[in-house]
Amino acid sequence: MLLQALREEVLEANLELVRHGLVLYTFGNVSGIARKDQRIAIKPSGVPYESMKPEHIVITDLNGAVMDGDFRPSSDLPTHVELYSHFASIGGVAHTHSEFATAWAQARRPIPCFGTTHADYFHGPVPTTEELTAEEIGKEYERNTGVAICRAIDSAQAERVPAILVSGHAPFCWGPTASMAAHNAVILEYVARMAYHTLALSPQASAISTHLHDKHFLRKHGPSAYYGQTSTK
Amino acid sequence: MLLQALREEVLEANLELVRHGLVLYTFGNVSGIARKDQRIAIKPSGVPYESMKPEHIVITDLNGAVMDGDFRPSSDLPTHVELYSHFASIGGVAHTHSEFATAWAQARRPIPCFGTTHADYFHGPVPTTEELTAEEIGKEYERNTGVAICRAIDSAQAERVPAILVSGHAPFCWGPTASMAAHNAVILEYVARMAYHTLALSPQASAISTHLHDKHFLRKHGPSAYYGQTSTK
Amino acid sequence: MLLQALREEVLEANLELVRHGLVLYTFGNVSGIARKDQRIAIKPSGVPYESMKPEHIVITDLNGAVMDGDFRPSSDLPTHVELYSHFASIGGVAHTHSEFATAWAQARRPIPCFGTTHADYFHGPVPTTEELTAEEIGKEYERNTGVAICRAIDSAQAERVPAILVSGHAPFCWGPTASMAAHNAVILEYVARMAYHTLALSPQASAISTHLHDKHFLRKHGPSAYYGQTSTK
Amino acid sequence: MLLQALREEVLEANLELVRHGLVLYTFGNVSGIARKDQRIAIKPSGVPYESMKPEHIVITDLNGAVMDGDFRPSSDLPTHVELYSHFASIGGVAHTHSEFATAWAQARRPIPCFGTTHADYFHGPVPTTEELTAEEIGKEYERNTGVAICRAIDSAQAERVPAILVSGHAPFCWGPTASMAAHNAVILEYVARMAYHTLALSPQASAISTHLHDKHFLRKHGPSAYYGQTSTK
């Protein structure tokens, strides 16, 4: 089977969404990319998670043309393709309609950084996209969703904040691997939930200081990280 | 056993409500119709879900008179009968008191379409009924609940938006089969939950554009659908 | 073992609170009364639910003096005793600190009847008590909690609405049996949760009409009931 | 293995956070202290809870220098060290980013005592810290988090209210043992959740009376306690 390890990682990343209650029925999709092989592996469209196996994962080229697999890829594939094309450092993309992150996307509000949980993963507020125009919706809608994301943020921003809220739709997250993209989707939902409660308690709540924000992000990311067992420090 | 397959599908559709946490104790009921056989199959009244078997499902004629089964049908049967009579294309009806959809029904507010999750399933806001009059409550209350639903929407609307909120009561959903009716009840609860959070974040939130709404509904429904594995495209 | 059947029912009713997520650690307590035997059976104080057995249930007389059992009774026993003494028709009492019912008690707001779920079980709003005075708190606090409840409602009201919110504390519920008392506590939490959401959606929400309220309560209670399989109609 | 019993208790206390849904992935940490042995036992940094074993627990001296164990201690260790140093009576510390307690910390609002559930465990509102200065964040950040806690409350207060909200971060809790620290973290989350709902229902809600507050705290704590089976009364 072509790209067996990538298929397995992508399957596992999709199931991570299920384990954390981020998806209902066949909602959501995670993909991974093998840049050397010029291949993307993505969840099939509309297949139940319970019966999903590595061979159901669809393999496409970097334009999203199916190269291997008997199933249709997720209908959001063109969005993933666009993200891989613009953000050279990412290795996985995760899309969910998770409850609170989607509520922020529907309210078209960026998620401010109200605390260190957010700062540990996202180096700045989680932004929203502009709305698509009627023309962008009418033709190549899914690709244009990716275009709107890449209009809102550049590669450097994509590395600092691996998530965005597509206005009136839902979040897209990414990371160095499919597994990390799914992980970031789980964290985003948790952060979105706590930020929602924070605003309810204090409608004028302000973001934490840049000092605290930097401290928390940098103790987990980059050359000075000292969290966990695997850092190189 | 009469209509064995329909009984099993109706039982399974009722259990779908349990699996998704939409019902407490004996709350909720799903029915299915075999129009050729002129029979309706519905959950019995007040029987625990854990011990429910196909033979407990009650078979009635199209007026709701019991034709087969040792149990009383759900007391909401006359509402189902009314819906089947007015909406010729539906094959199943699901009624729950699910937490957030019921809160919208109690608040007597239609659920606006704040995002694509809603648009994927409901082609417009989820409407509410007018309140019943004292006379309608006093006599044939359950049938009149159905009458109020059919006053609020016509068949074409029922196809575009397979759900309604009965004011001061709770939602009714439907679909081409009992199974799809239950599925729509699960989706409605999720959409109701996210719309609730959206309003909390942004009390003036507006519905998504008609373009985006149409796009999402039509990529899953009708002749141009391209979501999932089973479309005819 | 004295009153084995009552012990078992009381144990089972206490476990019903656990199954429905109404209690944390050793929170909550349910009792039942055998009026002929002049005995009350109640949960022991501070014993984990997981290891609770019928022999741990404490048997007291109608004044709350322990008659059988090696454990101390729940410290709320004097409240239960007071309720049994004033409300001659009740056979069980359930006390929880369940999340939403307790929030209403802490906000010192009665729960209005916003929908038929409420009307099916409670024939009117769920009331709150007055606050206890410093004297009432200082001496026989738990008995005085019962006194405050019986000051707020009379026996007729206790039959129509088998629940009350003790201000700044939490709900007490009751019913013809320990099992029904626990059942009512589960329903109260669900009703409290939906009423909370209703107010968030519509701060000026009004109660349902008396007609609808009566209809729902009376289709499940009293001589004209027609819900479920066991009514005498 | 050094301090086997303490390791096992600390492991178990960490798992208590998991059982009650207070932690996501590797979030959270609990420690315990053996004052006679001058040793602290704490969760390792970034190790999954599912595979955590007593030998993964890290043993340090009272300054936080690792004495035994192949893993790095939790990066929050210096906060724990600071608390043990200032509060001579505590035997365990628990830190989580639990959903509602963290929302209060992010909103920088103390949790008022709205009811007896709170009063049973915390003898006064749960306070917040001042924000750290840029200097305190820049150098010895984790130790300075402990310093900020010890600036906000003294030992006597720490005994009466075994929890604090670090502003823009999350709660720290403690108790006579690691197990009780984790227990208090679970209770804090529940109290935070109910206080949140109380404010939503009644934005001007006031704290319960001192009489009621004292009564509940003292029936569970101190020489006159009469709750549970194990009090000395």
Side-chain angles (χ1 to χ4, degrees):
Chain A
M1 190 157 56
L2 198 60
L3 295 166
Q4 173 85 16
L6 182 62
R7 283 169 186 270
E8 284 174 6
E9 190 199 347
V10 167
L11 171 61
E12 201 48 41
N14 275 285
L15 296 179
E16 181 73 355
L17 304 183
V18 178
R19 282 191 289 267
H20 286 273
L22 269 67
V23 291
L24 188 62
Y25 292 122
T26 62
F27 288 21
N29 43 74
V30 183
S31 70
I33 190 169
R35 291 191 185 266
K36 277 187 310 190
D37 299 303
Q38 305 203 20
R39 289 292 179 267
I40 292 168
I42 191 165
K43 173 173 167 280
S45 182
V47 169
Y49 284 102
E50 304 85 66
S51 56
M52 209 178 286
K53 300 218 152 39
E55 57 265 32
H56 297 137
I57 300 299
V58 184
I59 303 295
T60 77
D61 67 15
L62 298 192
N63 296 312
V66 175
M67 293 288 115
D68 192 31
D70 298 331
F71 291 81
R72 287 183 182 180
S74 163
S75 55
D76 294 312
L77 169 62
T79 315
H80 295 237
V81 166
E82 201 67 17
L83 297 180
Y84 286 125
S85 157
H86 277 71
F87 303 146
S89 71
I90 71 176
V93 172
H95 171 52
T96 80
H97 288 203
S98 69
E99 185 175 336
F100 281 84
T102 300
W104 283 89
Q106 294 190 157
R108 301 169 205 178
R109 291 183 69 164
I111 306 176
C113 179
F114 287 135
T116 61
T117 322
H118 181 125
D120 281 338
Y121 290 88
F122 306 111
H123 201 185
V126 178
T128 54
T129 64
E130 297 284 314
E131 291 182 56
L132 300 194
T133 63
E135 289 68 36
E136 288 171 326
I137 291 166
K139 198 175 160 197
E140 296 196 284
Y141 165 64
E142 288 84 2
R143 191 178 75 76
N144 285 327
T145 296
V147 169
I149 293 171
C150 299
R151 252 195 323 249
I153 58 173
D154 61 17
S155 283
Q157 161 79 342
E159 284 212 44
R160 296 208 320 278
V161 179
I164 196 166
L165 307 171
V166 177
S167 289
H169 186 165
F172 277 82
C173 298
W174 47 86
T177 59
S179 158
M180 279 304 298
H183 185 94
N184 287 337
V186 174
I187 298 293
L188 176 65
E189 176 61 12
Y190 196 64
V191 163
R193 186 182 284 269
M194 296 201 299
Y196 175 95
H197 300 323
T198 302
L199 271 188
L201 285 169
S202 180
Q204 308 305 327
S206 53
I208 59 174
S209 72
T210 309
H211 294 293
L212 186 55
H213 201 149
D214 290 351
K215 174 67 187 175
H216 266 264
F217 189 76
L218 299 173
R219 79 177 188 169
K220 290 193 75 166
H221 302 87
S224 308
Y226 58 94
Y227 180 91
Q229 303 299 336
T230 56
S231 97
T232 56
K233 197 190 166 187
Chain B
M1 192 158 54
L2 198 61
L3 295 166
Q4 173 83 17
L6 181 63
R7 283 169 187 270
E8 286 174 4
E9 189 198 347
V10 167
L11 171 61
E12 201 48 41
N14 275 285
L15 296 179
E16 181 73 355
L17 304 183
V18 178
R19 280 191 290 266
H20 285 273
L22 270 65
V23 291
L24 189 62
Y25 291 123
T26 63
F27 288 20
N29 43 74
V30 184
S31 70
I33 191 169
R35 291 193 184 265
K36 277 187 309 189
D37 298 304
Q38 304 203 19
R39 289 294 178 266
I40 292 168
I42 192 166
K43 172 173 168 279
S45 182
V47 169
Y49 284 102
E50 306 84 67
S51 56
M52 208 178 287
K53 300 217 153 37
E55 57 267 30
H56 297 137
I57 301 299
V58 184
I59 303 295
T60 77
D61 68 14
L62 298 192
N63 296 313
V66 174
M67 292 289 116
D68 192 31
D70 297 332
F71 291 82
R72 286 184 183 179
S74 164
S75 54
D76 294 312
L77 169 63
T79 315
H80 295 236
V81 165
E82 201 67 16
L83 296 180
Y84 287 126
S85 157
H86 277 71
F87 303 146
S89 70
I90 71 176
V93 172
H95 172 52
T96 79
H97 288 202
S98 69
E99 185 175 336
F100 281 84
T102 300
W104 284 89
Q106 293 190 159
R108 300 170 206 177
R109 290 183 69 164
I111 306 177
C113 179
F114 288 134
T116 61
T117 322
H118 182 125
D120 280 339
Y121 290 87
F122 306 112
H123 201 185
V126 178
T128 55
T129 63
E130 296 285 314
E131 292 182 55
L132 300 194
T133 64
E135 290 69 35
E136 289 171 326
I137 291 167
K139 200 177 158 193
E140 297 197 283
Y141 165 64
E142 289 86 1
R143 192 178 76 75
N144 285 328
T145 297
V147 169
I149 293 172
C150 299
R151 251 194 324 248
I153 59 172
D154 61 17
S155 284
Q157 161 79 344
E159 285 212 43
R160 296 208 320 276
V161 180
I164 197 165
L165 306 171
V166 177
S167 289
H169 185 164
F172 278 84
C173 298
W174 47 85
T177 59
S179 158
M180 279 304 299
H183 184 95
N184 287 337
V186 173
I187 298 292
L188 176 65
E189 176 62 12
Y190 195 65
V191 162
R193 186 181 283 270
M194 296 202 298
Y196 175 95
H197 300 322
T198 302
L199 271 188
L201 286 170
S202 180
Q204 308 304 328
S206 53
I208 59 173
S209 72
T210 310
H211 294 293
L212 186 56
H213 202 150
D214 289 351
K215 174 66 186 176
H216 266 265
F217 190 76
L218 299 174
R219 78 175 190 171
K220 290 193 74 167
H221 301 87
S224 308
Y226 57 94
Y227 180 91
Q229 303 298 336
T230 56
S231 97
T232 55
K233 194 190 167 186
Chain C
M1 191 158 56
L2 197 61
L3 295 165
Q4 172 85 18
L6 182 62
R7 284 170 185 270
E8 285 175 4
E9 189 198 347
V10 167
L11 171 61
E12 200 49 40
N14 276 286
L15 296 180
E16 181 73 354
L17 303 183
V18 178
R19 281 190 290 266
H20 286 273
L22 269 65
V23 291
L24 188 62
Y25 291 122
T26 63
F27 288 20
N29 44 74
V30 184
S31 70
I33 190 169
R35 291 194 184 264
K36 278 186 311 189
D37 299 303
Q38 305 203 21
R39 290 292 179 269
I40 292 168
I42 191 166
K43 172 172 168 282
S45 182
V47 169
Y49 284 102
E50 306 83 66
S51 55
M52 208 178 285
K53 300 219 153 35
E55 57 267 30
H56 298 137
I57 301 299
V58 184
I59 303 293
T60 77
D61 69 12
L62 298 193
N63 296 313
V66 175
M67 294 288 116
D68 192 31
D70 298 332
F71 292 82
R72 287 184 183 179
S74 164
S75 55
D76 294 311
L77 169 63
T79 315
H80 294 237
V81 165
E82 201 67 14
L83 296 180
Y84 287 125
S85 157
H86 278 71
F87 304 146
S89 70
I90 70 176
V93 171
H95 171 53
T96 80
H97 288 202
S98 69
E99 185 175 335
F100 281 84
T102 301
W104 284 89
Q106 292 190 159
R108 300 168 206 180
R109 291 183 69 163
I111 306 176
C113 178
F114 287 136
T116 61
T117 321
H118 182 126
D120 280 338
Y121 290 87
F122 307 111
H123 202 185
V126 178
T128 54
T129 63
E130 297 285 313
E131 292 182 56
L132 300 194
T133 64
E135 289 69 36
E136 289 172 325
I137 291 167
K139 199 177 159 196
E140 297 197 284
Y141 165 64
E142 288 83 3
R143 192 179 74 75
N144 285 328
T145 297
V147 170
I149 293 172
C150 299
R151 251 195 324 249
I153 58 173
D154 61 16
S155 283
Q157 161 78 344
E159 285 212 43
R160 295 209 321 278
V161 179
I164 197 165
L165 306 171
V166 177
S167 288
H169 185 165
F172 278 83
C173 299
W174 47 85
T177 60
S179 157
M180 280 303 299
H183 185 95
N184 287 337
V186 174
I187 298 291
L188 176 65
E189 175 62 12
Y190 195 64
V191 162
R193 186 181 283 270
M194 294 200 299
Y196 175 95
H197 300 322
T198 301
L199 270 188
L201 285 169
S202 179
Q204 308 305 328
S206 53
I208 59 173
S209 72
T210 310
H211 294 293
L212 186 55
H213 202 149
D214 289 352
K215 174 65 188 176
H216 267 264
F217 189 76
L218 300 173
R219 78 175 190 170
K220 290 194 74 168
H221 302 87
S224 308
Y226 59 94
Y227 179 92
Q229 304 298 336
T230 57
S231 97
T232 57
K233 194 190 167 188
Chain D
M1 190 159 54
L2 197 62
L3 295 166
Q4 173 85 16
L6 182 62
R7 283 169 185 271
E8 284 174 5
E9 190 198 347
V10 167
L11 172 61
E12 201 48 41
N14 275 287
L15 296 180
E16 181 72 354
L17 304 184
V18 178
R19 282 191 289 267
H20 286 273
L22 269 66
V23 290
L24 188 62
Y25 292 122
T26 62
F27 289 20
N29 44 74
V30 184
S31 70
I33 191 169
R35 291 192 185 266
K36 278 186 310 189
D37 300 303
Q38 305 202 20
R39 290 292 179 267
I40 292 168
I42 191 166
K43 173 173 167 279
S45 181
V47 169
Y49 284 101
E50 305 85 64
S51 56
M52 209 178 285
K53 301 217 153 37
E55 58 265 31
H56 298 137
I57 300 298
V58 183
I59 304 294
T60 76
D61 68 13
L62 298 192
N63 296 312
V66 175
M67 293 288 117
D68 192 32
D70 298 331
F71 292 82
R72 288 184 182 180
S74 163
S75 55
D76 294 311
L77 169 63
T79 315
H80 295 238
V81 166
E82 201 67 16
L83 297 180
Y84 286 125
S85 158
H86 278 71
F87 304 145
S89 71
I90 71 177
V93 172
H95 171 53
T96 79
H97 288 203
S98 69
E99 185 176 335
F100 281 85
T102 301
W104 284 89
Q106 294 189 159
R108 300 168 206 180
R109 291 184 68 163
I111 306 177
C113 178
F114 288 135
T116 61
T117 321
H118 182 126
D120 281 338
Y121 290 87
F122 307 110
H123 202 186
V126 178
T128 54
T129 64
E130 297 285 313
E131 292 181 56
L132 300 194
T133 64
E135 290 67 36
E136 288 172 327
I137 292 167
K139 198 174 161 196
E140 296 197 286
Y141 164 64
E142 288 84 3
R143 192 179 75 75
N144 285 328
T145 297
V147 169
I149 293 171
C150 300
R151 252 195 323 249
I153 59 174
D154 62 17
S155 283
Q157 160 79 344
E159 284 213 43
R160 295 210 320 278
V161 179
I164 197 165
L165 307 172
V166 177
S167 289
H169 185 166
F172 277 83
C173 298
W174 48 86
T177 59
S179 157
M180 279 304 298
H183 185 94
N184 287 338
V186 174
I187 298 292
L188 176 65
E189 175 63 11
Y190 195 64
V191 162
R193 186 181 284 270
M194 295 201 299
Y196 175 94
H197 300 322
T198 302
L199 271 188
L201 285 170
S202 179
Q204 308 304 328
S206 53
I208 60 173
S209 71
T210 309
H211 294 293
L212 186 56
H213 202 150
D214 289 351
K215 175 65 187 175
H216 266 264
F217 190 76
L218 299 173
R219 78 176 190 170
K220 290 194 74 167
H221 302 86
S224 307
Y226 58 95
Y227 180 92
Q229 303 299 337
T230 56
S231 98
T232 56
K233 196 189 167 190

